[in-house]
Amino acid sequence: MYQRILVANRGEIALRIIRACKELGVETVAIFSEGDRGARYLDLADEAYCVGPAKASDSYLKIANVISAAEVGNVQAIHPGYGFLAENAHFNEICRSCKIDFIGPSPEAMARLGDKNAARELARETNVPVVPGSDGIISTEEEALRFAHDVGFPVLIKAVAGGGGRGMRVASNDLALKSALQQARAEAEAAFGNGDVYLEKYIEHPRHVEVQVLADNHGNVVHLWERDCSVQRRHQKLIEESPSTSISPETRSAMCDAARRLIQTANYTNAATVEFIVDKTGNFYFIEVNARIQVEHPVTEMVTGIDLIKSQIRVAAGERLPWSQTDIPQRGAAIECRINAENPRRNFQPSPGKIEQLIAPGGFGVRFDSHAHSGYVVPPYYDSMIGKLIVHQATRADAIAAMQRALSELHVAGIETTVPIHQEILSHSAFVEGRIDTTFVERTLLAE
Ligand code: ADP
Ligand code: ADP
Ligand code: MG
């Protein structure tokens, strides 16, 4: 096992990783930007180094600064968390050349699956069903129109390097497609430094179901069942749960098996999530692989009883996965609500600032993963998520009741949060009955 790890992230995921390290008896080196200086979770690390100004591109994304902190901190490995450098194959390679383990896949496996188009290709070769899409990058309007006329409108324009729902545009006719193409390219160039886009058929009333996979360096690959992330706003997840209510046992086993096969074929190691879209009739289609830990990993931890962060660290250190597929249960039902510093009544406008008082919920089967506390100042520079509220109960109905109870206890004064929208969703009959798709929130709760 490692003696010392650098945590190349901030906020709740940095704290989550520091906690896992403590339990493993591993020392931690944290990094922070000027915007996070003095944050209390940094005190839990053994050391903390400033890596630059508040702006992420000058600090958390500045490879030279992160590597310097790792050298000064004398670590053997880096955990990248999610976002920032987590899916940056170049950073991954630099870690390797500096003889620091990157807690994640090899740079090669990351490149194979991180590029959405390359991953689609591999999925096709592995006989994993893929959403009908353009064969590769679309560079002209004519190509885009030809594809749309072949598969039929609506179509979805996606950035090859996309993430977090950004750089995506739906188009329903020729005119809309032409302008959306330009917009998506510009947005992708600005957000990811890569303006390449491709097209997919837009699956109507889709459900988002994804499979957690873990693979060690000795050829063992297991899946840890699915998460349903259909409660979204603007293609960003708000609520996640396991098991999914939208798939049959047969679909579940076919999907989980497809995910495992894909990860195995790619010679991928460590944690990955294989994302699928499920259509109205229950067909599932591969959309992408997230070559990192995901925000919603706790939902899987609750139903399987497996600590995914510790597993990532152990696997990176060369340990074998201690289970075979049949040892991994999917027990009870877990739900997660992302608590963001945003005002749902004002179009989810960010609401940074000082949290005057924070009272976290507790009780049976309730988990609150958050770096925030009374007096914490939410900086305006980063993702607005301030915590994740997770519940685990014997049944989905019990989980919904527990989440409602926990949300009503969660008290955040001084800033606006997404708590009210979660309460609305959890009490809506469509959610309670499991009859939702990714358009539910916008269609039902946010329509003018
Ligand atoms: P998850 O399923 O893990 O929630 P998301 O796509 O929502 O995946 O991304 C998780 C976090 O990573 C979010 O904070 C998001 O803003 C960030 N993120 C995802 N992809 C990128 C990217 N390519 N560049 C920068 N940040 C990203
Ligand atoms: P990101 O990298 O931003 O996470 P994804 O490819 O995972 O991009 O897509 C994000 C979300 O967009 C999905 O969860 C789903 O809601 C929607 N989506 C993606 N592909 C399709 C599709 N072909 N048809 C309908 N919705 C889609
Ligand atoms: Mg995705």
Side-chain angles (χ1 to χ4, degrees), residues 208 237 275 288 290:
H208 174 114
K237 301 160 187 169
E275 297 190 330
E288 68 158 341
N290 287 147

Side-chain angles (χ1 to χ4, degrees), residues 115-250:
D115 178 306
K116 292 188 180 205
N117 227 339
R120 283 168 54 82
E121 192 54 49
L122 192 70
R124 261 188 236 109
E125 288 166 19
T126 318
N127 284 325
V128 172
V130 173
V131 189
S134 56
D135 292 321
I137 293 153
I138 289 279
S139 29
T140 66
E141 264 180 18
E142 291 68 43
E143 280 177 86
L145 290 169
R146 205 176 318 128
F147 172 81
H149 295 166
D150 274 359
V151 305
F153 282 109
V155 294
L156 187 60
I157 307 168
K158 283 191 177 182
V160 203
R166 280 167 299 172
M168 290 184 23
R169 285 274 190 294
V170 186
S172 300
N173 57 54
D174 285 11
L175 202 63
L177 180 56
K178 286 185 198 167
S179 68
L181 192 62
Q182 274 182 352
Q183 288 168 2
R185 275 219 201 93
E187 198 175 306
E189 181 63 48
F192 314 110
N194 177 353
D196 288 347
V197 298
Y198 66 99
L199 257 58
E200 272 178 15
K201 173 153 187 66
Y202 181 77
I203 307 293
E204 302 205 55
H205 301 290
R207 311 232 3 179
H208 174 114
V209 185
E210 59 187 32
V211 178
Q212 177 70 54
V213 181
L214 268 179
D216 67 17
N217 301 340
H218 309 278
N220 304 302
V221 188
V222 294
H223 71 74
L224 287 85
W225 308 102
E226 83 284 6
R227 295 183 287 258
D228 192 311
C229 315
S230 300
V231 180
Q232 302 187 347
R233 174 183 164 267
R234 298 195 175 161
H235 308 296
Q236 286 177 34
K237 301 160 187 169
L238 291 174
I239 297 180
E240 303 95 353
E241 62 180 299
S242 184
S244 167
T245 58
S246 61
I247 51 173
S248 64
E250 294 72 37

